Amino acid sequence: MEASMSVADVVSHIRRLKTSGESLNKKKVKQTNPQLMQNALFYFPSWEHAIQSADSV
């Protein structure tokens, strides 16, 4: 599998979802934005790690 987004794109997309008040629930994001989820799991060991990275950078 290849990533179609960069790690910076994934992090910024998660931040945009968070600031706009969207749910960061794994199941919800997987349904509404499967490409984001796929790329996040390519770069991070879990969805939770991706969210933590978006919070800390």
Side-chain angles (χ1 to χ4, degrees), residues 9-22:
D9 291 337
V10 170
V11 168
S12 69
H13 200 118
I14 292 170
R15 283 189 188 143
R16 278 197 307 271
L17 289 176
K18 187 174 183 175
T19 57
S20 67
E22 296 286 326

Side-chain angles (χ1 to χ4, degrees), residues 12-39:
S12 69
H13 200 118
I14 292 170
R15 283 189 188 143
R16 278 197 307 271
L17 289 176
K18 187 174 183 175
T19 57
S20 67
E22 296 286 326
S23 172
L24 293 179
N25 175 278
K26 182 178 181 178
K27 191 172 188 176
K28 179 77 171 168
V29 173
K30 195 172 188 178
Q31 290 174 343
T32 59
N33 202 329
Q35 185 176 3
L36 172 62
M37 181 63 68
Q38 183 178 8
N39 282 280

